[in-house]
Amino acid sequence: MSRRNRWIWVLIFMVIIIPALRIEAKQDPYAAKKKRMSDKVRRMFYHAYDSYMMYAFPHDELKPLTKTFTDSLSELGNLRLEHLPQEYNGSALTLIESLSSLAILGNHTEFEKAVLWLSENLTFDVDARINLFECNIRVLGGLVSAHILATDSTNRLGKGMYKNELLLLAEELGKRFLPAFDTPTGLPYAWINLKHGVMDNEITETSTSGCGSLILEMGALSHLTGDPRFESAALRALRKLWSMRSSLNLLGTTLDVETGEWIEYSSGIGAGVDSFYEYLLKAHILFGREEYWRMFQSAYLAVQKYFRHGPWYHEADMRTGRATFWQLTSLQAFWPGLQVLVGDIAAANSSHREFFHVWQKFGVLPERYLLDHQMLHPTEKYYPLRPELAESTFYLYQATKDPWYLEVGESIVDSLNLHTRVEGGFASIRDVTTMELEDHQHSFFLAETCKYLYLLFDDSFLVNQNYIFTTEGHPLPILSSWHERLPVAYIPSNWTSVKSEYQPKRASAMSLRMCPANCGNELLQSACHIPDFRVDHRCLTDEDCGIDSTSCRRRSCSMAGFCGLWLSI
Ligand code: DMJ
């Protein structure tokens, strides 16, 4: 390098690079840590993904210890690819589940390869009995979300290469779901055969989440295809389910789809119910219907009133509200994330801390912990790489920017690498007391666990975008064109729902009510909204907190120093 060139480089370094680094450090003192951690999570994802592609693809899921595969998911049933030998049962499930994560990681090449492969090889015209709920959240949700990501303005796919094949597949699958809803109650069967519809003597028992959390995927499918049948079927089922609530606004866990009667009256916020609550709120955010919000609000208040005990959530009988089972389950850890969407940050923070304490105690979250006996459930000591704690950590960091959540995320990443990483991928834990492993890498590890951990440290995918994540972590964009015109009765007289090109970026749980159109193209805010004193929502006293845009309630300052909505019942 000549002396002159050297001087030019020194100059560039001093004038451009050093100030840029300073600005970056000033803007985000945690930038270096976030970069280091997002790289680490990226490597985790690819270790899981590459291992799947090497040892299991195109089967459903990887068995990382034996480096083999599994298709016979008891939860999901079997799908089958047409062009493969008859004895082969599989749907490349993990590949479908990885699509949106590949897009979030910015891997356009692999995303394109996967989309094109699935477009050519996936079929649903198969004699296979599948679980409606699991197939909906994993396969239909994966396809719908990937279709949207394939057709948005980011040019993830080469021009002209993609001709809506994933949407056509999703539509085909959605049509095959429809016979499940053909019951006297409109509540769908839990199991359906993709070729033959509901089988003779099919079981009539299903769960609350099984029939109450189909609306995001099926609603999105209706909006994308223009065929209203998917959304109608899911909405009819949801309305029927809601009509079965008790006078306390509580629901049970299992029910009969033919008679519409409850089978299990006890319920909580975990297995069999969890995503029902999640979908009421998220459906309101995605489709703008006031009806979903009213259902959610009543359901949420009932949960806080009858299930909550300090930071814990026990189960209760829907008829009496009396506590039944005092247990913490791994699935419940999604709840703080949902509370962030509601704006109930304080409650979210306190439960999240307890879940994290349990994680620290065992190294990961055990499936079930008996709160009343302070011990693990004797047969449910496993940890199948579930995402829920990482998911809530991501939401809480988004809402508060409190670096504590970065610490939590780092600790989750470290535990996963320490206890579950093996040469052939990531293995589930059979027993958290011995850390004995189990030969299974669930597809949600790629769809959710890695995704939420990555987004915690690198949320560039979300900048200037507004997505809602399905219960399986597949992003769906919030579009004003998907928002129903609010029924007249629910529009306060001096407000209007503004439809403009600016709205997709601004419609969110916090800003659904728009101020009158005479705002012009200024930032559209709720008519009642008053922003917090500081943009990072930190506070010293209640006076630093403004008025919440959705509920028009005054926010207050938490003990941890964050503005939030405090629900008092
Ligand atoms: C995922 O398949 C979904 O999040 C579902 O709603 C319940 N939990 C599993 C992963 O734990």
Side-chain angles (χ1 to χ4, degrees):
M1 197 186 291
S2 73
R3 181 179 283 210
R4 189 166 154 262
N5 277 354
R6 206 175 305 142
W7 273 112
I8 293 176
W9 278 113
V10 170
L11 218 66
I12 291 178
F13 192 71
M14 286 173 63
V15 177
I16 302 178
I17 300 183
I18 292 182
L21 288 175
R22 276 212 196 110
I23 290 171
E24 200 191 335
K26 211 171 176 186
Q27 280 173 346
D28 185 356
Y30 298 95
K33 181 192 178 92
K34 286 186 187 173
K35 174 81 179 75
R36 179 172 56 79
M37 288 308 299
S38 58
D39 284 348
K40 208 168 184 179
V41 179
R42 179 185 287 272
R43 288 196 296 275
M44 285 169 70
F45 174 85
Y46 283 118
H47 180 59
Y49 180 79
D50 293 342
S51 303
Y52 163 74
M53 292 307 280
M54 178 148 359
Y55 305 118
F57 171 78
H59 295 269
D60 281 336
E61 293 183 309
L62 170 70
K63 293 175 108 181
L65 300 179
T66 50
K67 298 181 182 164
T68 53
F69 53 81
T70 168
D71 290 316
S72 312
L73 298 176
S74 54
E75 286 178 328
L76 188 65
N78 291 339
L79 297 180
R80 198 161 52 225
L81 293 163
E82 200 171 39
H83 307 303
L84 290 163
Q86 197 57 34
E87 65 276 11
Y88 169 77
N89 284 311
S91 65
L93 173 70
T94 299
L95 187 66
I96 298 173
E97 287 258 75
S98 299
L99 291 168
S100 59
S101 300
L102 288 169
I104 287 173
L105 289 167
N107 190 338
H108 294 193
T109 315
E110 198 61 27
F111 179 77
E112 178 175 302
K113 242 168 69 184
V115 168
L116 297 181
W117 190 90
L118 289 165
S119 301
E120 277 172 25
N121 293 286
L122 195 58
T123 177
F124 299 119
D125 186 24
V126 288
D127 183 3
R129 179 177 176 258
I130 54 105
N131 181 286
L132 183 74
F133 167 78
E134 294 292 346
C135 203
N136 174 64
I137 64 169
R138 301 195 199 200
V139 183
L140 188 65
L143 292 175
V144 163
S145 171
H147 163 73
I148 295 169
L149 295 169
T151 50
D152 69 15
S153 57
T154 50
N155 300 320
R156 284 187 191 96
L157 287 180
K159 243 197 165 120
M161 300 198 73
Y162 176 69
K163 302 199 170 51
N164 296 335
E165 289 93 342
L166 298 190
L167 180 60
L168 294 172
L169 280 165
E171 189 177 8
E172 191 200 326
L173 183 59
K175 284 182 185 158
R176 289 170 194 272
F177 283 177
L178 291 177
F181 294 82
D182 191 11
T183 58
T185 59
L187 296 164
Y189 275 89
W191 295 87
I192 182 149
N193 184 297
L194 287 178
K195 204 181 193 73
H196 305 298
V198 179
M199 308 288 278
D200 288 344
N201 303 321
E202 185 53 270
I203 51 164
T204 56
E205 181 172 349
T206 190
S207 65
T208 295
S209 51
C211 50
S213 31
L214 303 157
I215 191 70
L216 289 189
E217 293 82 358
M218 294 187 73
L221 184 60
S222 279
H223 283 275
L224 290 166
T225 57
D227 183 342
R229 287 179 298 165
F230 313 114
E231 186 174 31
S232 301
L235 181 54
R236 181 167 171 242
L238 185 57
R239 283 181 177 149
K240 172 65 191 172
L241 188 66
W242 183 240
S243 76
M244 290 165 62
R245 71 193 182 280
S246 70
S247 56
L248 307 177
N249 283 334
L250 293 175
L251 291 92
T253 303
T254 56
L255 55 134
D256 187 297
V257 298
E258 289 286 335
T259 62
E261 278 166 11
W262 289 106
I263 296 170
E264 174 57 68
Y265 289 99
S266 174
S267 80
I269 56 167
V273 194
D274 46 1
S275 48
F276 159 74
Y277 294 106
E278 181 183 357
Y279 273 31
L280 291 179
L281 178 62
K282 291 184 174 176
H284 174 60
I285 296 171
L286 193 63
F287 304 124
R289 262 179 196 258
E290 199 73 13
E291 179 184 9
Y292 297 130
W293 174 249
R294 281 186 278 117
M295 289 188 216
F296 174 76
Q297 222 180 7
S298 310
Y300 182 74
L301 290 173
V303 166
Q304 298 298 92
K305 182 166 180 176
Y306 295 106
F307 298 163
R308 185 177 177 195
H309 184 81
W312 309 105
Y313 290 83
H314 57 76
E315 290 175 25
D317 188 308
M318 63 178 278
R319 298 162 296 186
T320 59
R322 274 200 209 104
T324 47
F325 302 106
W326 289 79
Q327 44 196 338
L328 169 144
T329 62
S330 178
L331 287 167
Q332 295 174 340
F334 87 102
W335 190 256
L338 185 66
Q339 291 184 307
V340 169
L341 285 181
V342 195
D344 202 358
I345 310 284
N349 175 49
S350 67
S351 302
H352 176 271
R353 272 173 198 264
E354 298 305 331
F355 281 111
F356 183 54
H357 281 149
V358 178
W359 176 288
Q360 283 178 308
K361 180 170 170 176
F362 293 100
V364 291
L365 257 191
E367 187 68 2
R368 202 175 288 269
Y369 184 78
L370 306 176
L371 290 167
D372 42 356
H373 297 97
Q374 293 281 301
M375 60 179 266
L376 287 169
H377 187 281
T379 58
E380 295 185 36
K381 299 179 180 176
Y382 53 89
Y383 169 68
L385 304 172
R386 287 200 191 280
E388 285 76 11
L389 185 64
E391 176 182 354
S392 285
T393 309
F394 154 72
Y395 279 107
L396 273 157
Y397 182 67
Q398 283 284 316
T400 62
K401 297 290 178 233
D402 184 337
W404 151 255
Y405 297 110
L406 297 178
E407 302 293 323
V408 174
E410 182 166 11
S411 163
I412 295 175
V413 167
D414 288 346
S415 307
L416 288 172
N417 280 315
L418 178 68
H419 300 301
T420 70
R421 189 185 165 110
V422 292
E423 198 187 286
F426 284 85
S428 300
I429 294 175
R430 191 189 299 278
D431 182 336
V432 300
T433 59
T434 59
M435 290 297 174
E436 181 197 349
L437 294 176
E438 191 178 330
D439 200 7
H440 200 161
Q441 177 183 284
H442 290 268
S443 63
F444 53 68
F445 182 68
L446 291 103
E448 291 192 84
T449 315
C450 290
K451 181 183 283 147
Y452 286 122
L453 288 170
Y454 183 77
L455 287 170
L456 169 66
F457 299 112
D458 181 347
D459 64 358
S460 45
F461 174 77
L462 299 171
V463 173
N464 289 332
Q465 301 290 330
N466 208 353
Y467 288 104
I468 202 78
F469 288 92
T470 67
T471 191
E472 193 71 1
H474 297 304
L476 296 173
I478 299 167
L479 304 169
S480 56
S481 52
W482 285 14
H483 271 218
E484 292 252 330
R485 179 183 287 277
L486 294 178
V488 177
Y490 302 119
I491 302 176
S493 57
N494 59 342
W495 294 354
T496 175
S497 89
V498 177
K499 298 261 162 42
S500 82
E501 64 200 75
Y502 296 96
Q503 192 173 339
K505 288 184 183 164
R506 304 224 165 88
S508 76
M510 301 299 170
S511 60
L512 276 171
R513 288 176 182 162
M514 303 297 173
C515 65
N518 64 13
C519 290
N521 280 343
E522 294 300 303
L523 182 71
L524 303 174
Q525 285 188 338
S526 150
C528 63
H529 181 65
I530 296 175
D532 297 337
F533 183 63
R534 292 178 39 164
V535 278
D536 60 2
H537 309 296
R538 299 298 303 239
C539 51
L540 291 174
T541 68
D542 288 351
E543 274 59 59
D544 295 342
C545 303
I547 307 278
D548 175 69
S549 62
T550 308
S551 62
C552 294
R553 285 175 47 208
R554 172 158 267 297
R555 286 154 63 88
S556 52
C557 189
S558 72
M559 281 169 67
F562 291 100
C563 293
L565 267 190
W566 298 77
L567 284 184
S568 44
I569 299 182

